[in-house]
Every structure is written in structure tokens, then in C-alpha cells.
Amino acid sequence: MEPVESSPNWRETQYCPFCLDNDNPTPYCRLQCGHQVHESCMLIWMHHGHDRCPLCCKSSEWKMTREIMIDINEFKWRIYNVSYPSSPTQNSFRNYGWHTVRLKITPPPYVDHITRIKYVLHPAFSLSKVDLHEPPHELVIKLCSNNVPVVVQVYFVHKVTGKVDTFTMQHCIVKETSNWNYFCGNGDVSLIYNGLQSEENQVLSPNSHFKDLLTLYKRPDDYYASPLIAVAHEERENSRENQQKVPLDE
């Protein structure tokens, strides 16, 4: 990261091209090409797989409010959402529209390795949580509905310090193969995008995130207090079709 000089009035020279709101108190960032956008707007733009300026399609490097140029890819967590059609679950009332989806998580460069991934599932699923302690930490699930949220809590080791840390995201499982990006700063970089739109609700509490939906799906109040289902690598099947699957309970 290299310090970059800038005009003191650059933030007032134009509107954010995403929200067109120059009065929004959200911090701005300046892209390497010179265009300015809200930091939160840019992170959401990149969350959907875009990695260039929305106006001129140049580099994704951008300047944050503390006047430092960074490469945002250094802080990017990627979830690869792989989907393919499959047969219905046993005793399902719907015999069409089923997909098997596999989630694969790639950490940013400052992560040495992932030690554990905990998936807290939407109450529509027949399981509340799944805990994967060994590589490849990939969850394979079977679902009929689309755009179903899941809370993903990743435990990882920092490459430089060797310390264990966590990053928690809300990912929406979709019935299409796609990449989704999330961002967590490191060191002097404090930016974060964990899948939530509201800046006032950036902290995800895995066991209480879906509490308002428990009554709707006829789940007990202690639904997420039950022990996790821990799956070790040697317990999984080698075939993709036979990996740990969590069918929707509809």
C-alpha cells in the first residue's frame, strides 16, 4: 500500500454513481482512476462479482478515507456457489426444481489456513447447524427454494501473526453457479462487508440471526442451542453426490 496525495475537495466534486446521494454521511473512497464512490456502495458492487470502476471499467484499486491506496483483493473472501439440478429429497411434496449446491470458500492472502467453518442454517432446513473441522470445509446441500440465507462463520489463522480469528458472513444460497465476494480488513485496514446491507447491523450473531423466523417455521425457541453436527473429512464420501447434504424441510 502506498500513500497517495489528493485534493482536499475531491469528495465534493461529484455524486456517488451508485446512490446519487452526495449528502449521505457514508465515507467515500476514491478509485485509482479518480472516480469517487461511497465505500459501502463499492463493497456491495464488488460483492456481486464486479472488480472494476462502474464508470470507466479501470482498476479496482481504491483510496479509502484515510488517504491510502489499497488493492481490495487483498481483503476479499470468496464463496464459490456451485449448483446443478438434482432429484427431489425423500418424501418431498414437490418433485421439481431441486438443486444440489456446493459452497467453497477461498480466503484472502493474509490468511494462512482455515481451521473450521460453522454453517448456521435457515430454519427452513431440517438441520440447524453444521460444523466442518477439516479441509476441504465444503458444504453440499440440497434445496428447492432459491436465495436462501445461511450464516457462515470461518475460523482462521493469520499468516503473519499466527493468531486465530473469525469472520462471519451472511451468504444467500442460489440455484446457479456464481462467485460472491465478502470483505474483512486486516491490520490498518478496517473495511468490512459481511453480506448485510445495513451499516447499523454489521455484527452477525450466528445463533440469534434467524430467531425472528422460528415461529414461522414452527421451530422451538432453543432450536439453535442444540449441539452442532460435526463432520470430519474422513467421514465424508468422495463422491460429490454423496457428500454431506442438508435437505430443505418444506
Side-chain angles (χ1 to χ4, degrees):
M1 297 185 294
E2 298 291 338
V4 177
E5 297 294 333
S6 65
S7 167
N9 298 319
W10 67 267
R11 295 180 193 167
E12 287 76 33
T13 58
Q14 58 182 325
Y15 291 91
C16 172
F18 293 105
C19 63
L20 303 178
D21 185 359
N22 200 34
D23 296 324
N24 191 324
T26 303
Y28 277 88
C29 64
R30 188 177 68 177
L31 307 183
Q32 190 179 42
C33 57
H35 292 117
Q36 69 169 20
V37 297
H38 286 134
E39 287 184 10
S40 58
C41 294
M42 189 64 187
L43 289 175
I44 295 173
W45 169 254
M46 298 188 73
H47 164 65
H48 289 88
H50 308 291
D51 60 358
R52 303 244 172 207
C53 172
L55 296 177
C56 65
C57 296
K58 291 185 178 179
S59 171
S60 62
E61 289 189 350
W62 48 297
K63 182 187 296 185
M64 303 185 67
T65 52
R66 66 184 184 291
E67 312 299 337
I68 294 178
M69 186 67 74
I70 66 171
D71 181 357
I72 193 66
N73 292 310
E74 294 180 5
F75 312 99
K76 179 169 66 180
W77 291 79
R78 172 170 290 179
I79 295 184
Y80 187 33
N81 188 110
V82 182
S83 176
Y84 48 93
S86 62
S87 58
T89 58
Q90 188 175 6
N91 301 323
S92 171
F93 74 93
R94 187 184 298 177
N95 59 4
Y96 61 91
W98 287 91
H99 276 235
T100 295
V101 179
R102 178 168 58 96
L103 301 182
K104 179 179 180 180
I105 298 177
T106 302
Y110 66 80
V111 173
D112 184 71
H113 64 279
I114 293 174
T115 61
R116 169 190 177 195
I117 299 181
K118 180 172 71 175
Y119 297 88
V120 180
L121 305 174
H122 188 281
F125 287 95
S126 59
L127 295 177
S128 61
K129 295 175 285 187
V130 175
D131 202 1
L132 304 180
H133 291 274
E134 297 183 16
H137 300 110
E138 296 178 9
L139 181 69
V140 179
I141 62 177
K142 206 169 187 179
L143 75 162
C144 186
S145 300
N146 196 25
N147 205 37
V148 182
V150 58
V151 175
V152 183
Q153 189 169 43
V154 184
Y155 295 75
F156 64 92
V157 176
H158 283 272
K159 185 175 294 184
V160 176
T161 65
K163 293 183 178 179
V164 178
D165 205 348
T166 62
F167 180 47
T168 307
M169 303 164 273
Q170 177 188 268
H171 175 68
C172 287
I173 307 170
V174 293
K175 296 193 296 185
E176 64 180 56
T177 297
S178 53
N179 285 313
W180 299 88
N181 300 319
Y182 302 85
F183 301 92
C184 181
N186 180 46
D188 295 335
V189 181
S190 59
L191 80 153
I192 184 172
Y193 180 74
N194 59 10
L196 298 180
Q197 302 294 332
S198 172
E199 292 185 359
E200 298 177 354
N201 191 25
Q202 284 296 315
V203 179
L204 275 167
S205 178
N207 289 340
S208 62
H209 188 66
F210 297 117
K211 65 180 181 179
D212 294 338
L213 299 175
L214 294 179
T215 301
L216 177 63
Y217 288 90
K218 300 179 180 180
R219 303 298 188 188
D221 292 339
D222 61 350
Y223 184 63
Y224 290 105
S226 59
L228 293 115
I229 294 180
V231 183
H233 177 60
E234 60 268 16
E235 297 172 352
R236 303 185 208 176
E237 301 290 342
N238 292 326
S239 170
R240 178 182 297 177
E241 282 291 338
N242 292 326
Q243 290 185 41
Q244 172 72 15
K245 293 188 177 70
V246 185
L248 268 177
D249 183 14
E250 296 184 309

